[in-house]
């Protein structure tokens, strides 16, 4: 947050199941599709003007691609879209004198939409091989 002008704050949790079409030598690499569910208890998104709300939930489909960047790490790129519901969304205009100016409140916002664009760093945990005697 910078001077009440730029902010991206969320408190959320997600669960996702993925299917990888082709795994190379490294696990969890290549193209994937999946299903996900997300719950967010609060959000504040601002870029000169913005939106705040007391939570939302979403569920839908995901698609992505993951590539290895080292022996133990992958980087993944994914998009998620589906149904989004929020009980209350407040829209604010540009800050004046350091304070946000409220413009509109909408209740029971629901729609089909793109919900997330993600870049993930994945740490691959590996079991140690037993030592042979």
């Amino acid at each position: 947050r910078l001077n009440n002008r730029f902010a991206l704050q969320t408190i959320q949790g997600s669960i996702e199941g993925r299917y990888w079409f082709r795994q190379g030598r490294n696990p969890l690499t290549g193209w994937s599709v999946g299903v996900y569910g997300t719950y967010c208890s609060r959000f504040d998104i601002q870029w000169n003007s913005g939106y705040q709300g007391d939570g939302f939930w979403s569920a839908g489909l995901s698609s992505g691609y993951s590539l290895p960047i080292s022996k133990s790490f992958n980087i993944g790129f994914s998009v998620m879209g589906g149904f989004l519901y929020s009980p209350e969304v407040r829209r604010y205009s540009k800050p004046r004198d350091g304070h946000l100016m409220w413009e509109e409140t909408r209740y029971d916002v629901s729609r089909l939409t793109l919900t997330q664009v993600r870049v993930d760093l994945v740490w691959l945990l590996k079991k140690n091989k037993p030592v042979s005697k």
Side-chain angles (χ1 to χ4, degrees):
R1 173 170 247 163
L2 299 170
N3 299 328
N4 219 13
R5 289 187 64 198
F6 309 106
L8 174 59
Q9 299 173 329
T10 62
I11 301 171
Q12 73 179 34
S14 295
I15 188 165
E16 180 183 8
R18 290 185 184 175
Y19 171 79
W20 273 264
F21 289 106
R22 181 177 171 211
Q23 291 184 351
R25 292 182 351 170
N26 294 352
L28 308 178
T29 58
W31 289 101
S32 66
V33 293
V35 294
Y36 77 95
T38 296
Y39 174 75
C40 175
S41 64
R42 294 179 190 249
F43 63 92
D44 183 0
I45 303 166
Q46 299 171 34
W47 189 267
N48 290 326
S49 61
Y51 297 90
Q52 293 179 345
D54 291 330
F56 69 84
W57 66 264
S58 66
L61 303 174
S62 66
S63 178
Y65 188 79
S66 179
L67 21 119
I69 56 175
S70 75
K71 191 174 181 179
S72 298
F73 289 96
N74 288 354
I75 189 163
F77 307 92
S78 58
V79 293
M80 299 175 172
F83 184 77
L84 174 86
Y85 172 78
S86 179
E88 180 181 352
V89 177
R90 297 176 295 279
R91 185 167 61 95
Y92 292 85
S93 65
K94 293 182 179 182
R96 296 185 186 120
D97 299 327
H99 297 11
L100 293 172
M101 302 303 293
W102 169 80
E103 286 185 356
E104 173 188 21
T105 299
R106 295 180 63 196
Y107 298 96
D108 293 327
V109 176
S110 61
R111 62 181 57 142
L112 288 173
T113 186
L114 180 68
T115 57
Q116 294 182 43
V117 177
R118 294 179 17 180
V119 177
D120 300 316
L121 180 63
V122 179
W123 179 20
L124 302 169
L125 301 173
K126 297 181 182 179
K127 293 182 180 180
N128 293 333
K129 294 181 181 179
V131 178
S132 58
K133 293 183 179 181

